[in-house]
Amino acid sequence: MSVTVTPLQALSIDELRQRTSTKWRKYGEDVLPFFVAETDYALAPAVTRVLTRAVELGDTGYTPPDPGVREAFVGFAGRRWGWTVDPSHVSWTGDVMMGVVEILRRVIEPGERVVVMPPVYPPFYDTVEEAGGVVERVPLVASEAGWEIDLLGVEAALAGGARAVLLCNPHNPTGTVHSAETLAALADIAQRFEATVVSDEIHGPLAYGQTPFTPFLAASESARRVGYAVTSASKTFNLAGLKCAVMVGGGEAQAKVLRALPAEVEWRTGLFGALSNVAAYSPESDEWLESLLAALDANRLLLADLLAEHVPQARYLPPDAGFLAWVDLSAYGWGDNPAVKVLREAKVALHHGPLFGTEGRGHVRINFGCDPGLLREAVERIGALAGG
């Protein structure tokens, strides 16, 4: 028997414009912001409650040695994905990219190559360089059905000397949820070449039911031998300003690496970040998450209809996960970076496609974690430029 879930309602534009975060302060009030990965919903009640109580108590000091993040994440992973995580393999830090950098510093030597799979989240490139590595691009393979990891390309890169793979699972910006079979095959390749896979899984809780999310470390025994996962509740629960992320080692060898990280890595975790992540990962927040997924599921399909009506030459495949849409506008001849024209002439701020790699030329990324009416207004503005 199916249970009807009421979609979460976004806050009003008047409420949102009172926010002081990047999404609502980078541009003036004549611009509709759809660029950065912040969502427009009220916080989960459990998160609001724990943060409100902390402020009332003046509980704004240092993060304790054990803030409960480990246990909360282990419980969440078991409930949501059926993934049994060894608590002793879990550590934490300020955010996902911090965790990725610290792990990469321990698994590569300066100058060694790290595979990334463009188009991909722009900080991946900077993160590899910050860790002392060199980016080796192995683009996703695109088809009418979606995007896939180029396993042969990864194999060739590792055979040629690359020492690690920085995986985005689910993938940003395409929203691809990699299959368990693909992840297991990737792990086998990495194991053959004694390479490491570091998987950014921040969008994992936002996979839609049609394409279940498989954590990389749950894909196979090989994955546990070669892998790390880094994730956070921040994207799902809109907590980017509250610093906390989880690092998971696949096996005891990886867990030892995490335990040997400098104490400062853990100290970068903010107290409010830890409190909010614990609340977000608690069973109390599961109902809110289901309502969020219902709202996002409706919006990803609404966006397809709106583009077909107003921007008919746009190419868009609804994502398997997340609230970010990867849209090809190259048919309109608006240049390699159409977001510039859209911002200037339509007053809609989209993320710049070329920042995700050369594969992003002619593309934009659109954040649809918002009110459906606001999404409609944005697409209608873009459509006016397209003559739609």
Side-chain angles (χ1 to χ4, degrees), residues 3 20 23 32 113 115-116 226 255 277 280 298 323:
V3 177
T20 60
K23 183 174 185 180
L32 296 180
R113 286 173 284 132
V115 172
V116 301
V226 303
N277 269 249
F323 50 85

Side-chain angles (χ1 to χ4, degrees), residues 234-299:
S234 62
K235 281 289 185 288
T236 301
F237 291 86
N238 203 40
L239 307 172
L242 306 178
K243 293 297 185 179
C244 180
V246 170
M247 301 176 288
V248 186
E252 183 55 31
Q254 290 80 14
K256 286 178 67 175
V257 170
L258 295 180
R259 287 194 286 269
L261 290 173
E264 186 61 30
V265 174
E266 181 181 309
W267 270 103
R268 293 171 185 156
T269 308
L271 178 57
F272 277 22
L275 291 170
S276 60
N277 269 249
V278 170
Y281 285 138
S282 73
E284 187 178 356
S285 293
D286 287 352
E287 183 177 350
W288 182 94
L289 177 52
E290 292 300 327
S291 293
L292 173 68
L293 285 167
L296 298 179
D297 193 10
N299 276 3

Side-chain angles (χ1 to χ4, degrees), residues 26-39:
K26 183 168 183 177
Y27 300 104
E29 293 197 2
D30 59 333
V31 172
L32 296 180
F34 288 81
F35 64 110
V36 73
E38 298 179 25
T39 54

Side-chain angles (χ1 to χ4, degrees), residues 155-166:
E155 183 174 22
L158 297 182
R163 300 304 305 136
V165 177
L166 182 49

